[in-house]
Amino acid sequence: MDEPMPARPSTDWITLGDDDIARLLPFGTVSDTTAGQTLFTAGDASPSFHVVLEGAVDLLSGGGEGTQQVVTTHTAKQFLGEFNLLLELRPVVSAVVVHPGSVLVIERAGFDEFMRTLPDIADQVFAQFEARRKYSRQSETISAAIQIIGTRFSAEAMALRVFASRSQVPHSWVDLDELDEPEAYLAALGATAHDVPLVITPTAQLMRPTTAEFANFLGLEHIDPPDHVNDVTVIGLGPAGLAAAVVAVAEGLSAVCLEGVAVGGQAAASSRIENYLGFPNGVSGEQLVEHASTQAQRLGARLVSPCQVTGLRTVGDLRVVDLADGTEVASRTVVIASGARYRRLEVDDLERFEGAGVYYATTELERRACRGHDVIVVGGGNSAGQAALSLAKTCSSVSLVVRRDNLEETMSHYLVARIEQDPRIRLLLSGVVRALDGDDAVTSATVENTATGERETVACRGVFCFIGAVAATDWLDGTIALDRRGFVQTGRNLPEEALDIPEFAERYPLPFETSMPGVFAAGDVRSASMKRVAAAVGEGSTVVRSILEFIGARV
């Protein structure tokens, strides 16, 4: 008689049908299991896909033996895994057999293959992964597996939190400013104030890690086999880069996508986008890029961040992208979608306050840091308007500092009307921020009215900057043609001198092609582009047609 299965926390996970399992069998290997057997451990390299055929498997939170907690249990015909399998992240839980039986083990290559070739099963797996991601975010047990510890006024801590959030890594945040005895708390962890921000994981403590070090620990580093050549390398993962990745892999191209900071670009910094097709009630930038990045990875694109690109060159028929760590990425084509970044305030001591009161985004992280306080938003475009309206919901007051003497020239009418009707928003036209003040964080700013010369000290806990756009092209260092503002010139807009090469003597540059054949540009980084999310998505999608034409001409 079989041993009765132990009682475990239950969750309504999908149970595969017999036919589904029969179709999955050719992609993996069946292995018998014994009670107490570990299938994978938190922190392991990206695990295989497991289907429980018989028996039961516990998922355990990180921690030493005797301190682990059961997160959930998978029984016969249920499968293990979450978005870490798509994102190639190291797991934050361990899998241990609690009732003997057997499992179907499908390695990474097999997992990718059945996700491409068995769409009905892939849809079930993907839906379950989405449900488990939501479950992970709501589960204190899972979120506690990775803890980021620091102070809300630390730029380094904020960078780690932004990276973890945009990379869809379940984690929790411990704010030392809210603890009664932060020194004692750190001492219990074997750390001091000099070691923060601190990242606690199931297998290690990372003291003052950079985002790159954190990413490498999670398994997000870029590793290509020797002599590997991609069809396309996408540089930048804002809307244009993500759209290019989605369409490229959907067309059967291999794509690797490199982002220097975190997935999403400027769009992810937007609290609300209301002029994007298909979202009548608007959508936050975070939500939009999260769905887009998941879609790209589901279709087979590899997304790597943070991954700093330092150069671009041609070697024979290949385009080679140089990375800051000294490695190279070779591909047949390249899409430059590095976008633009907001200008920085021209004030003394700015770097000391960036991340400690000076912000370039209005995601939940920044809004939470300023909740209940006075803030300043600098800028007169749609991003600034949306930021002011979003912050007015949770902050005591918002001072909107605009360089021009009106909003109508640079901001959509519907936003102007809302701002004028919001009693918490104070409009400071012809305004420029001249100075910031504070010790550990911003406490006030000096705003000058350029029309009258009068200066005013405005109390604030946060200064949110959305002032103009600077092309993110300094890494190109003269390798391709740029306009006078540093944006990439393409297609028929290329200057005559850029066309004076043998390849362009035989053909016109393709749409979106730069002065380096086989290298294309899309989105905000492109000269004369419309700086809007929808336009960037359109360009990123359309550029793939030129890539296919370029590659086809060389087959």
Side-chain angles (χ1 to χ4, degrees):
M1 183 175 178
D2 289 342
E3 178 185 347
M5 291 179 57
R8 288 290 187 272
S10 62
T11 308
D12 292 329
W13 302 133
I14 289 174
T15 298
L16 296 173
D18 291 336
D19 181 60
D20 293 332
I21 292 175
R23 293 163 66 202
L24 286 174
L25 287 174
F27 294 92
T29 304
V30 175
S31 299
D32 293 332
T33 59
T34 58
Q37 178 183 347
T38 298
L39 299 182
F40 58 80
T41 302
D44 281 352
S46 189
S48 305
F49 181 79
H50 293 79
V51 180
V52 180
L53 301 178
E54 296 179 285
V57 177
D58 271 352
L59 293 186
L60 305 176
S61 65
E65 189 173 348
T67 65
Q68 294 177 315
Q69 298 181 41
V70 177
V71 174
T72 190
T73 298
H74 292 292
T75 56
K77 301 181 183 179
Q78 295 180 344
F79 55 86
L80 281 62
E82 201 246 333
F83 264 103
N84 65 297
L85 281 168
L86 283 176
L87 308 180
E88 299 189 65
L89 289 167
R90 299 180 190 275
V92 297
V93 295
S94 301
V96 177
V97 177
V98 291
H99 193 75
S102 60
V103 294
L104 171 63
V105 183
I106 302 178
E107 303 293 343
R108 179 74 206 191
F111 173 77
D112 290 340
E113 181 66 18
F114 89 70
M115 288 292 284
R116 283 194 301 268
T117 59
L118 303 179
D120 54 333
I121 297 178
D123 286 345
Q124 293 184 70
V125 171
F126 187 77
Q128 189 75 114
F129 282 2
E130 288 215 289
R132 291 176 185 175
R133 175 172 57 183
K134 182 177 180 181
Y135 177 77
S136 296
R137 289 175 173 173
Q138 296 173 344
S139 168
E140 293 183 4
T141 302
I142 296 178
S143 295
I146 294 180
Q147 299 180 16
I148 301 175
I149 301 168
T151 168
R152 75 189 72 168
F153 303 120
S154 164
E156 293 82 4
M158 179 63 77
L160 293 171
R161 296 172 68 195
V162 168
F163 169 75
S165 178
R166 293 198 195 173
S167 300
Q168 304 178 41
V169 177
H171 67 283
S172 59
W173 161 245
V174 178
D175 191 340
L176 295 174
D177 295 315
E178 295 183 353
L179 301 182
D180 293 333
E181 298 182 6
E183 295 84 1
Y185 177 84
L186 290 173
L189 297 172
T192 69
H194 297 291
D195 299 321
V196 297
L198 181 68
V199 178
I200 307 294
T201 77
T203 58
Q205 290 188 10
L206 309 180
M207 296 182 177
R208 303 194 71 171
T210 63
T211 52
E213 291 167 344
F214 187 24
N216 289 345
F217 183 84
L218 294 171
L220 289 174
E221 69 271 26
H222 173 75
I223 300 176
D224 262 342
D227 302 322
H228 178 78
V229 176
N230 303 286
D231 288 324
V232 57
T233 296
V234 179
I235 301 172
L237 282 173
L242 287 168
V246 167
V247 177
V249 292
E251 291 295 329
L253 302 177
S254 60
V256 60
C257 312
L258 313 175
E259 168 58 48
V261 181
V263 175
Q266 270 191 346
S270 178
S271 56
R272 192 173 184 180
I273 301 168
E274 295 194 71
N275 56 0
Y276 191 76
L277 186 67
F279 294 91
N281 296 321
V283 60
S284 75
E286 287 181 288
Q287 290 175 309
L288 186 65
V289 300
E290 180 180 303
H291 289 311
S293 62
T294 300
Q295 182 180 15
Q297 289 171 105
R298 181 187 180 186
L299 290 170
R302 289 187 298 138
L303 275 54
V304 185
S305 73
C307 185
Q308 198 67 46
V309 174
T310 58
L312 174 63
R313 51 198 167 90
T314 298
V315 178
D317 290 334
L318 299 179
R319 267 47 54 184
V320 177
V321 175
D322 296 315
L323 305 182
D325 63 5
T327 60
E328 303 173 344
V329 181
S331 60
R332 302 166 75 186
T333 62
V334 168
V335 175
I336 300 173
S338 47
R341 54 180 179 269
Y342 291 116
R343 295 181 186 275
R344 302 169 74 226
L345 292 171
E346 295 182 4
V347 298
D348 293 336
D349 229 8
L350 176 63
E351 289 186 2
R352 181 165 70 89
F353 293 115
E354 288 181 312
V358 173
Y359 305 111
Y360 301 92
T362 50
T363 69
E364 178 59 26
L365 295 179
E366 292 85 9
R367 293 196 298 270
R368 192 181 305 155
C370 298
R371 189 182 302 273
H373 296 283
D374 301 318
V375 298
I376 291 175
V377 174
V378 187
N382 281 3
S383 294
Q386 289 287 11
L389 290 166
S390 175
L391 291 164
K393 296 176 182 178
T394 56
C395 295
S396 296
S397 70
V398 178
S399 297
L400 180 56
V401 178
V402 181
R403 179 174 57 86
R404 296 174 182 266
D405 60 5
N406 68 83
L407 283 177
E408 287 75 9
E409 290 183 31
T410 55
M411 189 178 294
S412 296
H413 176 73
Y414 74 93
L415 289 176
V416 175
R418 290 180 192 176
I419 288 169
E420 290 175 343
Q421 294 297 317
D422 196 313
R424 291 193 178 186
I425 299 177
R426 177 190 179 208
L427 191 56
L428 299 178
L429 297 174
S430 301
V432 177
V433 175
R434 295 301 189 192
L436 301 174
D437 194 24
D439 295 324
D440 295 329
V442 170
T443 56
S444 67
T446 300
V447 179
E448 178 183 332
N449 184 312
T450 57
T452 65
E454 295 180 2
R455 293 195 173 194
E456 175 186 356
T457 299
V458 180
C460 61
R461 179 57 65 89
V463 178
F464 293 81
C465 302
F466 300 93
I467 48 175
V470 178
T473 55
D474 50 345
W475 57 276
L476 286 168
D477 195 25
T479 54
I480 62 174
L482 307 176
D483 67 16
R484 60 184 180 80
R485 296 175 58 208
F487 290 89
V488 179
Q489 295 178 295
T490 60
R492 298 294 181 94
N493 292 327
L494 283 168
E496 287 295 328
E497 59 270 21
L499 301 177
D500 191 21
I501 59 174
E503 180 140 0
F504 290 151
E506 300 175 0
R507 64 174 178 86
Y508 285 114
L510 296 166
F512 304 105
E513 193 169 18
T514 71
S515 59
M516 183 181 290
V519 176
F520 304 84
D524 286 3
V525 76
R526 194 177 67 84
S527 179
S529 67
M530 183 177 182
K531 314 304 185 197
R532 292 289 187 270
V533 171
V537 171
E539 291 194 6
S541 303
T542 307
V543 73
V544 177
R545 179 177 179 179
S546 292
I547 291 172
L548 291 169
E549 186 173 343
F550 180 86
I551 290 177
R554 283 159 172 72
V555 173

